[in-house]
Amino acid sequence: MFAYHITSRGSPAQLTNIPLPDPGQDQIQLRIYACSLNFADLLMIKGTYQDTPEPPFTLGLEVAGEILSVGKNVRQFAPGERVAVYAGQGGLAEAGNFEARRAVRLPDHVDYKTAAAFPIAYGTSHVALEHRARMQAGETLLVLGAAGGVGLTAVEIGKLMGARVIACARGAEKLEFARKAGADHLIDIEAEDLREQIIALGRADVVYDPVGGAAFQAAFRACKPEARLLPIGFASGEVPQVPANHLMVKNLSVLGVNWGGYMRFAPEVLTGSLETLLGWIAEGRLKPHISHVLPLDRAAEGLELLRTRQATGKVVIVPEGAG
């Protein structure tokens, strides 16, 4: 089979014809119909991603396809079923073997490209808001970096969960993306009075923050008592420091979110979340945005679109002949 493969540390990723072994006893073997690209793939090529496997390995974290065969211990899936898998690696190929515990069935009306495009971004926001923050309908959700890849999903999911959403992003154009995603109120994240604007809108019950830095500090000071703050990432380059005495005085909670980490100690959290999200997608309540669809032999072009930030949505790789 052809795969976008790294043979040794520091070597470039190349389209390579490699053998496909039988699935392990706890694995499913998948004919891959779609795989989406992530910045983590770029970091894996450089060897700087925290979960980079030891070479040789195939890139590709999010994948969807049809089961060809199953290992002897797999009882929950059968050949012919359609699934999405948070693979971690191995998705940029014509086929692959993946742990069955990482897979979820696809509803009939969800296509492969959509299934490969949603798990990490939408899954991160759903687990953060539902599992970690236990957000309730009617609460106020503040989303920092609301026009970014995960920020927009937080706006969408927050609205579906019944929250009143305040979106913070840089500039009118990006704020318009957040408005179209369902935000109730818009604030320019570079405003000098960011804290005051949040307070004027009634403060926040939940803060979703992929930005860090000064924006986190402003949001932290504009929370309601018993608010929950969710550090998702640090796009600003500055990891905020939290004064514990302020947490105590206002009964605040800071809840770390490492979405992929659940696969190591509680995979049911991820698969349960993904099943909920797939249901919403099948109902038309969520629609992941795909900006580029490319064949496997143009995977390098797709990764360049990510590296140069030219993609406005997910970049999905589709092996030749895949539907």
Side-chain angles (χ1 to χ4, degrees):
M1 67 168 185
F2 281 99
Y4 205 61
H5 203 63
I6 291 178
T7 56
S8 61
R9 190 172 294 278
S11 66
Q14 295 182 324
L15 192 62
T16 308
N17 197 349
I18 62 174
L20 176 64
D22 292 333
Q25 61 184 11
D26 298 309
Q27 292 183 320
I28 56 175
Q29 185 170 100
L30 213 62
R31 181 186 176 189
I32 296 171
Y33 284 107
C35 176
S36 68
L37 302 183
N38 290 274
F39 280 102
D41 293 306
L42 297 172
L43 297 178
M44 282 188 184
I45 291 172
K46 296 190 293 185
T48 58
Y49 186 59
Q50 66 265 26
D51 291 325
T52 301
E54 283 299 316
F57 68 91
T58 296
L59 295 168
L61 280 72
E62 301 171 287
V63 63
E66 180 183 343
I67 297 175
L68 297 174
S69 61
V70 302
K72 66 178 183 179
N73 291 343
V74 177
R75 300 287 183 267
Q76 67 270 46
F77 295 110
E81 290 190 293
R82 302 166 66 247
V83 295
V85 183
Y86 169 59
Q89 60 169 300
L92 280 176
E94 294 177 309
N97 297 320
F98 306 102
E99 294 178 47
R101 69 191 184 114
R102 292 174 173 261
V104 291
R105 286 181 183 83
L106 298 186
D108 290 341
H109 301 298
V110 177
D111 64 86
Y112 290 117
K113 291 186 284 292
T114 299
F118 89 96
I120 294 176
Y122 282 91
T124 296
S125 293
H126 185 251
V127 167
L129 298 175
E130 194 277 333
H131 180 74
R132 295 294 282 147
R134 307 291 184 186
M135 191 175 69
Q136 302 299 307
E139 289 193 306
T140 296
L141 167 65
L142 173 66
V143 181
L144 306 179
V150 292
L152 278 173
T153 66
V155 173
E156 292 179 81
I157 290 171
K159 286 301 295 181
L160 276 179
M161 292 178 66
R164 171 177 168 261
V165 179
I166 303 171
C168 293
R170 183 175 292 108
E173 183 178 356
K174 290 186 176 181
L175 286 169
E176 180 61 15
F177 284 123
R179 186 192 66 78
K180 289 180 178 178
D184 299 289
H185 304 281
L186 308 175
I187 302 176
D188 194 313
I189 203 168
E190 293 189 329
E192 292 184 5
D193 60 345
L194 178 58
R195 173 177 175 252
E196 286 73 19
Q197 289 197 48
I198 298 168
I199 292 172
L201 290 171
R203 298 183 180 266
D205 295 292
V206 178
V207 176
Y208 182 98
D209 178 26
V211 177
F216 177 92
Q217 298 299 342
F220 181 81
R221 295 169 63 213
C223 284
K224 296 179 184 179
E226 294 195 328
R228 291 87 75 203
L229 297 99
L230 299 159
I232 305 297
F234 312 103
S236 68
E238 181 183 342
V239 178
Q241 304 302 304
V242 179
N245 59 323
H246 290 194
L247 295 177
M248 179 188 70
V249 169
K250 294 183 69 175
N251 292 295
L252 302 179
S253 299
V254 179
L255 305 167
V257 182
N258 177 6
W259 183 79
Y262 279 102
M263 191 55 72
R264 291 187 286 273
F265 68 91
E268 67 278 3
V269 171
L270 296 195
T271 52
S273 170
L274 295 178
E275 287 169 354
T276 295
L277 291 167
L278 279 168
W280 288 347
I281 291 170
E283 294 166 3
R285 301 172 74 190
L286 289 176
K287 186 173 177 59
H289 176 51
I290 298 170
S291 61
H292 296 80
V293 178
L294 300 169
L296 185 59
D297 61 7
R298 293 174 63 189
E301 180 182 333
L303 289 167
E304 185 66 10
L305 288 170
L306 289 190
R307 190 187 67 80
T308 57
R309 300 185 183 274
Q310 295 180 61
T312 57
K314 293 291 283 188
V315 177
V316 175
I317 302 300
V318 179
E320 289 293 337

